[in-house]
Amino acid sequence: MAAIAKQKTRTRGTKRDMEGYGFILPGVIYMILVVGYPIVYNFILSFKDTNVQNLAKGTSVFIGFQNYKELFSNPTFLLILKNTFIFTLGSLVFQFTIGYLLALFFYKKFTLAGPIRGLMLIPYMMPMAVTGLLGQNLFLQDGLINKILSWFGAGPLPWLTSTATAMVAVVIMNCWVGIPFNMLLLISGLSNVPEDVYEASAIDGASKMQQFFLITLPLMKDAILAVLMLGFIYTFRAFDLMFIMTSGGPLNSTDVLGTYSYTLSFTQYQFSKGSAVAIVLFLCLMVIGILYLVLIVKGEKDE
């Protein structure tokens, strides 16, 4: 009897597993067709010499790592790779810091905290194309930013036409979008910190600063890590903001991997080189994703 019952339990478990596989199968097929196939095709394309002349004829030849060698020996590509990291890290520092301070402020319950917090989410909900057009108008020679600076006697700055200020303008607009996103996620992380821990530490004589560094930050470690990793991924693959505000200029000073891949593929019609740039972008993000998973697993083991 025990063997029969055990067999029935195993059969029910197998049936549940098959039902679960049936539910996830459409998602797996969708990911393979819509995500997996383009990545594989792009990867293969990056090892060929495909341009507008041989694409239609299908006469492109396999050249191995030649596209990658040419890219990493090209000063323009190295500048663009540097721009991508500067843009990403600069945006992360400011949007996380300001987002965290706003999260600490709006987590407190006071009159109009909810409505104001909702209004601050408007930049995040706006399409990036609209944000790019808005930034382009704000940072014009006679735009609002220069008018405000003129009130303080600073004079107009060539924000979008100078290599010294164009990246600053793009980072400011990206932070304008990213700060509400960081604030929202960090407020969720703050809500998971038990209030009784603060009360117990206050009884023991802990100051607000000690509570922040010894309680708030450690207990929000997972939320902070998630915000930083998501912020890095979203920012590193940016395209539309730079494409609309500056088109990567002046002199490639705001060009990033996304815009450079587009330029090579659809402006210069060097499809294989554009694919190689896209693969470099993909590999950078994959490394960050793997690092995030390693940190998550390590954190779970430490607990």
Side-chain angles (χ1 to χ4, degrees):
M1 291 296 292
I4 295 174
K6 188 175 182 180
Q7 181 64 32
K8 288 182 178 180
T9 302
R10 189 178 302 166
T11 303
R12 285 196 296 268
T14 304
K15 186 178 179 181
R16 283 196 298 269
D17 290 343
M18 294 303 295
E19 290 175 352
Y21 293 142
F23 280 116
I24 67 172
L25 183 61
V28 172
I29 294 174
Y30 174 82
M31 291 297 292
I32 291 174
L33 293 178
V34 178
V35 180
Y37 172 74
I39 291 176
V40 173
Y41 179 79
N42 196 68
F43 190 78
I44 295 172
L45 190 63
S46 70
F47 289 102
K48 294 183 176 182
D49 180 19
T50 306
N51 52 50
V52 70
Q53 295 178 343
N54 58 32
L55 178 64
K57 298 178 182 178
T59 57
S60 58
V61 295
F62 181 82
I63 59 173
F65 288 93
Q66 186 62 33
N67 288 319
Y68 294 96
K69 292 178 181 177
E70 291 180 5
L71 281 178
F72 282 96
S73 62
N74 185 351
T76 300
F77 173 76
L78 297 178
L79 171 65
I80 288 167
L81 187 62
K82 177 183 174 183
N83 288 344
T84 307
F85 280 99
I86 290 174
F87 171 73
T88 302
L89 297 177
S91 297
L92 275 184
V93 169
F94 287 105
Q95 67 189 25
F96 176 79
T97 303
I98 299 173
Y100 197 95
L101 293 174
L102 289 174
L104 292 173
F105 178 73
F106 283 107
Y107 182 67
K108 299 181 182 297
K109 294 176 174 60
F110 59 91
T111 307
L112 298 179
I116 295 174
R117 189 168 62 191
L119 289 173
M120 291 190 65
L121 292 175
I122 291 177
Y124 174 66
M125 294 185 291
M126 289 175 60
M128 191 60 79
V130 176
T131 302
L133 289 172
L134 178 62
Q136 192 179 56
N137 290 316
L138 285 174
F139 287 99
L140 287 174
Q141 190 73 16
D142 58 347
L144 180 62
I145 301 298
N146 277 332
K147 287 181 180 178
I148 294 174
L149 290 176
S150 65
W151 295 345
F152 299 95
L157 294 176
W159 288 101
L160 302 179
T161 56
S162 170
T163 56
T165 55
M167 180 62 77
V168 176
V170 174
V171 169
I172 289 173
M173 290 308 299
N174 189 67
C175 289
W176 187 66
V177 176
I179 286 171
F181 173 74
N182 280 256
M183 180 189 71
L184 189 64
L185 292 184
L186 291 170
I187 286 176
S188 300
L190 284 169
S191 63
N192 293 326
V193 180
E195 289 292 336
D196 54 356
V197 178
Y198 290 112
E199 294 173 0
S201 64
I203 293 173
D204 291 336
S207 64
K208 292 292 184 182
M209 193 65 68
Q210 288 174 322
Q211 288 179 341
F212 176 75
F213 285 104
L214 299 178
I215 297 176
T216 306
L217 284 180
L219 292 179
M220 286 187 63
K221 182 180 66 175
D222 292 340
I224 291 173
L225 182 61
V227 169
L228 290 176
M229 290 298 106
L230 289 174
F232 188 97
I233 291 169
Y234 290 151
T235 308
F236 197 83
R237 63 182 180 84
F239 166 79
D240 35 13
L241 184 62
M242 278 74 66
F243 186 77
I244 293 172
M245 280 188 68
T246 62
S247 298
L251 300 176
N252 301 110
S253 60
T254 58
D255 240 338
V256 291
L257 291 175
T259 56
Y260 190 53
S261 176
Y262 176 88
T263 300
L264 288 173
S265 298
F266 303 109
T267 302
Q268 301 178 13
Y269 303 110
Q270 300 181 45
F271 301 112
S272 290
K273 285 188 178 179
S275 297
V277 175
I279 291 298
V280 172
L281 173 61
F282 169 75
L283 292 176
C284 290
L285 293 178
M286 187 175 70
V287 169
I288 295 299
I290 293 173
L291 176 63
Y292 175 64
L293 293 176
V294 169
L295 293 174
I296 289 294
V297 172
K298 184 175 181 296
E300 291 177 352
K301 288 182 178 179
D302 291 340
E303 293 176 0

